[in-house]
Amino acid sequence: MKTFALLFLAASLSHGAALPEAAKIDSLLADGWQKQNLQPNPAAPDEVIVRRLYLDIAGRIPTVEETREFLASPAPDKRARLIDKLLASDGYTSHLFNFWADVLRLTDNTKGRITAEAYEEWLKKELKANTPYDQFVKKLLTTDGGAWDSGSIGFYQRDENKLDHLAYTVQVFLGTSIVCAQCHNHPFDKWSQKDYYGMAAFTYGMDIRGGDVTNIKLSKRPMTKPQLPEQLANLSGKERRQYMKDHPEEVARLRKEAAAAGKVSNEEMNQVRKALGDVMRPLRYTAINWQEGKLPKLPADYAYDDAKPGQTIEARAMFGHEAKPKEGQTTVQAFADWMASPENPRFTTVIANRMWKHVFGLGLIEPLDEMTDSTVASNPALMDYLTQLMIEKKYSIKSFLRVLYNTDTYQRMASTQEVALGETYHFTGPTLRRMSAEQVWDSLITLSQGNVDSAVDEENQRLHQYLDDLNLFIGTMKDKGPEGIIAAAKEGIARRQENDRQLTLMREKMAAEKGGNADPASAKALANAANKLRREASNDLLTNLIGEERAEALIRGYRPNQQIKKTARPVMKRSEMRNMTKEQRKEMARSSVDRTMVARASELPSPAKPGHFLRTFGQSDREVIDNASEAASVPQALTLLNGPVVQSLSNPGSQLSQQLAQAGSPDQKASLLYEALLSRRPTQDERIVLTGVIQERGDNALEDITHALLTGSQFLFIQ
């Protein structure tokens, strides 16, 4: 066994695995092959490797120029150089963003759209900066404040139910499914319902409604009541009453001052609260606040003997060392330290296994997120080494991936035989994988537009301006305090009361007209008028509070840059369509090409709406962890044949069309299509077939070849 491993180690050092850590991985795999009497897959040629590296690291196929540059290079270490180049590219950020967006279930189709977009931008910046994974996780778990402080608050804003959020957190970072224990003791593992609530107690104090960050409290009583001196503000109600009894002259003075400032009746106070509620609406879902000491209680139907229904549960770690707060730490900070510690028996193993699957197509432990005490990796020695390697690399995901991509095993031909459920794969090479929806999209963008990776990390200036406005707004509100807010609101109370009176009349009128089958246009006009009255009253208060210029920005609201929709085509009768020439039909199709075909998937709404190309090709709906599908379907084939994608490629302005126009003869154009889509030139047998197609189909040959390549397995699979 040692002889076989040493021979393989010598071969890998002379071929692909220039890094000692990569050679160690190859050696551990070779031990497994010898035990199973297996041979490694053949070495992959440069044409396969260049395409695979671009897809696996940058998330797209290489351009023709990038392929030719790599293949023409005589450098013996050109593969290692390309790996380093791609790991440092914005394409890497884009591709890994798509990966983590699936794992963390990122979605901007939520009520908190502003926070969701800030979360997405934060994630891209963390990936680009290569923040160590343990620090990345700690940042997510201990995040606090408003979206203007850090977009990472989107991690908690993702789920309104704190118990559900805990289940996802443990599943993602500890590879353990405990969701069943939320309602009852786990039927297939050792976790009890009490264990679940003990874990939930670590993060239960996170108030996703904003808490003190965005909460502006007004006195529940009119200002005609006496106010106490500041030094007595923290006294109990009984002590305050005694003070008022013992100091009648002071109380009388305070009442006199309140009267001089102007009384606010209960009705007026209600108007103030109503106006403030409208004004504060933009701040919803934009902040979270940690509340130390807030703990969960067992449900009323708790049915086990180890605790009582309704009992408050203290924080307690599921396994490993205790997670007790150190001096000056909060409970959630102690939880983050426990979670991301190298001493945690699962944390490092889970991320090492997750990254291994990202590179090779299967994990050493499958499924990724159902680990138990009895779980054994398919290659235990390799899993132990990868876990230790992640620690040695100080949780640098880029450094870890660099080792994996430089292994001789990764640079072998892919295994084409599907691994059946329950079978063990011994990694004689990476598995043959179908492109993800995002990889297909980004590859088509590359064909149409070339390399657009540099646009990935562009900052959303409009989003940051709006977040700054919100931050200034909440700061101004806190500076003014309840008295200042009430004073500003008093100026508009009369107008609001008049508006309320008009709104009541409008509602009565709408109700009467509705009963009499009113004209829809009339009802809509009344509704619009009512909305306008409400907005005007709120806008007046906002202007009084923060000034006209800043108020105008908040009133305008955050409108994310909408993608340009399809260019409207003229409405035509069927008879006119029938009389159009073929060229006229093509030109009309080109004029309605979807203009979103200029941005990578990571820059589009996340996830795309149902019916979009990305969803058709299996993009995750982000409802559950890692929910993407790589299964083929008829709608996918039809999209590639007749959809706007092909139209964008055939558009005269596309990169592919321009390259074809300069290619020369039909044979050269066909060869270019192979280079562009498959990163290789056609074989001799394929050239014979292509010549026949060109002779038979004439001007239509290139379109037929493009369709055939786009829908074929060699394009859609990572060889």
Side-chain angles (χ1 to χ4, degrees):
M1 179 169 60
K2 290 184 178 179
T3 302
F4 182 89
L6 287 171
L7 288 172
F8 182 80
L9 177 60
S12 56
L13 284 171
S14 64
H15 177 258
L19 301 177
E21 302 99 330
K24 175 66 174 178
I25 291 171
D26 289 325
S27 177
L28 290 169
L29 285 169
D31 288 343
W33 302 336
Q34 187 174 25
K35 290 177 183 178
Q36 300 297 324
N37 196 26
L38 297 171
Q39 293 293 321
N41 297 351
D46 283 346
E47 292 84 354
V48 170
I49 287 297
V50 65
R51 191 173 192 271
R52 183 190 296 171
L53 285 174
Y54 269 91
L55 281 166
D56 280 352
I57 302 178
R60 62 172 177 85
I61 60 174
T63 64
V64 172
E65 294 79 11
E66 289 167 338
T67 298
R68 290 174 177 174
E69 179 185 359
F70 177 80
L71 296 178
S73 172
D77 61 344
K78 64 181 182 181
R79 294 186 178 188
R81 289 185 181 184
L82 180 59
I83 290 168
D84 290 344
K85 173 186 173 182
L86 293 176
L87 286 173
S89 70
D90 290 325
Y92 165 83
T93 302
S94 175
H95 184 46
L96 210 61
F97 168 82
N98 295 329
F99 172 83
W100 281 110
D102 280 1
V103 174
L104 295 173
R105 301 174 299 120
L106 264 67
T107 174
D108 52 27
N109 297 327
T110 63
K111 295 177 181 178
R113 176 69 181 269
I114 299 167
T115 297
E117 290 199 17
Y119 186 21
E120 291 169 4
E121 187 174 279
W122 176 87
L123 177 57
K124 290 174 188 173
K125 288 183 177 180
E126 293 295 307
L127 295 174
K128 184 179 180 66
N130 193 32
T131 300
Y133 179 71
D134 58 338
Q135 299 303 314
F136 170 79
V137 173
K138 287 181 181 180
K139 284 184 178 182
L140 287 176
L141 292 175
T142 61
T143 184
D144 199 5
W148 45 86
D149 298 315
S150 174
S152 57
I153 70 161
F155 174 69
Y156 283 104
Q157 286 279 11
R158 176 62 181 82
D159 300 297
E160 292 188 19
N161 188 304
K162 297 179 182 180
L163 295 177
D164 289 345
H165 188 270
L166 182 275
Y168 287 122
T169 299
V170 172
Q171 189 174 344
V172 168
F173 301 131
L174 298 180
T176 305
S177 178
I178 63 170
V179 65
C180 288
Q182 181 176 339
C183 302
H184 50 74
N185 289 351
H186 202 297
F188 309 116
D189 210 337
K190 64 181 183 181
W191 316 120
S192 67
Q193 190 175 8
K194 187 179 178 182
D195 289 333
Y196 189 99
Y197 276 75
M199 283 291 285
F202 283 110
T203 58
Y204 204 75
M206 195 62 75
D207 182 4
I208 64 172
R209 293 171 298 179
D212 293 338
V213 178
T214 58
N215 193 14
I216 303 296
K217 294 182 179 179
L218 299 179
S219 172
K220 293 184 178 181
R221 296 183 295 176
M223 287 181 66
T224 51
K225 296 291 184 181
Q227 302 175 6
L228 295 177
E230 185 177 350
Q231 63 268 30
L232 299 178
N234 295 324
L235 295 181
S236 67
K238 183 178 180 180
E239 291 171 326
R240 290 182 182 182
R241 286 192 295 273
Q242 185 62 45
Y243 175 85
M244 293 169 66
K245 182 179 179 181
D246 295 341
H247 302 82
E249 294 180 1
E250 178 71 7
V251 171
R253 184 182 65 79
L254 290 171
R255 283 177 173 167
K256 185 177 180 180
E257 289 177 357
K263 297 180 180 179
V264 179
S265 67
N266 285 329
E267 180 184 353
E268 289 174 326
M269 182 60 76
N270 289 335
Q271 291 290 338
V272 170
R273 290 197 181 96
K274 188 184 297 183
L276 188 61
D278 290 341
V279 167
M280 298 293 285
R281 187 172 290 116
L283 289 168
R284 290 184 300 178
Y285 314 111
T286 61
I288 62 175
N289 179 238
W290 175 251
Q291 299 175 344
E292 186 69 23
K294 191 173 183 179
L295 297 169
K297 294 181 178 180
L298 292 172
D301 60 352
Y302 188 76
Y304 303 101
D305 297 333
D306 56 352
K308 297 179 180 180
Q311 179 178 328
T312 300
I313 301 299
E314 297 287 336
R316 183 174 180 273
M318 294 167 54
F319 46 68
H321 61 280
E322 292 186 359
K324 296 293 185 182
K326 300 174 184 177
E327 186 176 353
Q329 268 194 330
T330 63
T331 304
V332 75
Q333 288 170 342
F335 179 60
D337 284 348
W338 171 85
M339 173 77 76
S341 169
E343 298 175 11
N344 190 312
R346 295 190 184 178
F347 176 74
T348 311
T349 298
V350 167
I351 185 57
N353 188 50
R354 199 179 286 281
M355 289 297 100
W356 178 270
K357 182 172 184 175
H358 180 62
V359 173
F360 284 90
L362 277 175
L364 291 166
I365 297 173
E366 288 283 353
L368 290 178
D369 49 15
E370 293 184 16
M371 290 177 62
T372 67
D373 289 345
S374 60
T375 297
V376 178
S378 61
N379 189 325
L382 177 56
M383 189 72 259
D384 289 344
Y385 177 72
L386 293 176
T387 300
Q388 188 58 37
L389 179 65
M390 182 65 77
I391 296 173
E392 290 176 2
K393 295 298 181 183
K394 298 181 179 179
Y395 293 94
S396 167
I397 297 299
K398 278 189 180 181
S399 297
F400 186 83
L401 290 175
R402 181 171 179 260
V403 172
L404 300 190
Y405 290 127
N406 273 286
T407 59
D408 182 82
T409 306
Y410 172 79
Q411 296 181 24
R412 292 185 172 275
M413 293 298 291
S415 297
T416 57
Q417 186 172 355
E418 186 175 356
V419 181
L421 185 65
E423 288 187 1
T424 299
Y425 179 58
H426 296 284
F427 296 96
T428 53
T431 60
L432 181 68
R433 290 157 290 153
R434 198 170 190 270
M435 285 192 211
S436 66
E438 291 86 355
Q439 284 173 318
V440 178
W441 175 274
D442 289 344
S443 294
L444 294 170
I445 292 294
T446 301
L447 290 170
S448 175
Q449 304 296 322
N451 181 352
V452 296
D453 296 351
S454 60
V456 170
D457 64 344
E458 289 183 354
E459 200 169 70
N460 188 335
Q461 296 294 339
R462 178 71 191 96
L463 173 65
H464 285 280
Q465 180 60 57
Y466 190 72
L467 289 174
D468 288 344
D469 289 339
L470 288 179
N471 190 20
L472 178 68
F473 170 52
I474 193 65
T476 302
M477 295 285 281
K478 289 188 173 183
D479 288 342
K480 285 182 176 294
E483 290 79 7
I485 294 171
I486 291 172
K490 281 176 60 179
E491 298 179 20
I493 285 178
R495 178 170 178 174
R496 178 172 280 277
Q497 289 174 333
E498 174 60 23
N499 284 355
D500 283 351
R501 188 186 68 80
Q502 293 186 37
L503 284 171
T504 300
L505 293 175
M506 287 181 178
R507 291 191 190 102
E508 292 174 354
K509 185 175 181 181
M510 282 191 289
E513 292 189 356
K514 184 177 181 181
N517 296 323
D519 176 27
S522 176
K524 184 177 181 180
L526 281 171
N528 290 338
N531 289 332
K532 182 180 179 182
L533 286 173
R534 279 194 293 269
R535 286 196 303 271
E536 287 175 351
S538 300
N539 295 347
D540 287 345
L541 174 56
L542 193 59
T543 300
N544 291 339
L545 286 169
I546 61 175
E548 185 174 351
E549 183 178 350
R550 287 292 183 178
E552 185 178 345
L554 286 179
I555 291 167
R556 195 164 52 244
Y558 173 63
R559 295 182 176 88
N561 296 328
Q562 300 293 329
Q563 299 289 347
I564 302 173
K565 297 182 179 180
K566 293 181 180 180
T567 304
R569 72 171 70 173
V571 179
M572 302 186 70
K573 297 179 180 179
R574 290 186 179 181
S575 58
E576 294 175 322
M577 291 283 287
R578 285 195 295 268
N579 293 331
M580 291 177 66
T581 66
K582 185 177 181 179
E583 289 303 317
Q584 287 174 324
R585 290 175 184 270
K586 283 186 176 181
E587 184 57 36
M588 187 177 74
R590 291 190 190 105
S591 68
S592 62
V593 170
D594 192 338
R595 301 295 178 84
T596 60
M597 290 294 296
V598 297
R600 291 198 57 157
S602 60
E603 310 312 296
L604 299 179
S606 181
K609 293 182 179 180
H612 188 277
F613 179 100
L614 287 165
R615 294 295 292 277
T616 299
F617 277 79
Q619 184 187 47
S620 171
D621 57 9
R622 311 276 167 77
E623 292 297 320
V624 296
I625 296 169
D626 200 14
N627 197 34
S629 170
E630 294 179 0
S633 68
V634 172
Q636 292 174 9
L638 294 176
T639 298
L640 290 176
L641 285 171
N642 304 309
V645 176
V646 177
Q647 296 172 10
S648 71
L649 297 182
S650 60
N651 189 300
S654 77
Q655 177 112 338
L656 182 61
S657 292
Q658 292 177 15
Q659 290 172 330
L660 288 171
Q662 300 171 7
S665 69
D667 287 337
Q668 290 172 321
K669 293 179 188 295
S671 181
L672 176 68
L673 285 174
Y674 270 71
E675 285 188 274
L677 276 72
L678 306 182
S679 303
R680 67 174 179 85
R681 293 184 177 180
T683 64
Q684 188 59 41
D685 290 341
E686 288 169 334
R687 288 184 184 279
I688 295 172
V689 174
L690 291 172
T691 299
V693 172
I694 291 170
Q695 291 175 349
E696 180 181 343
R697 296 288 292 162
D699 294 339
N700 296 321
L702 291 180
E703 187 174 333
D704 293 346
I705 295 169
T706 302
H707 284 160
L709 292 178
L710 277 177
T711 56
S713 61
Q714 290 193 52
F715 175 75
L716 293 171
F717 281 78
I718 305 172
Q719 302 295 322

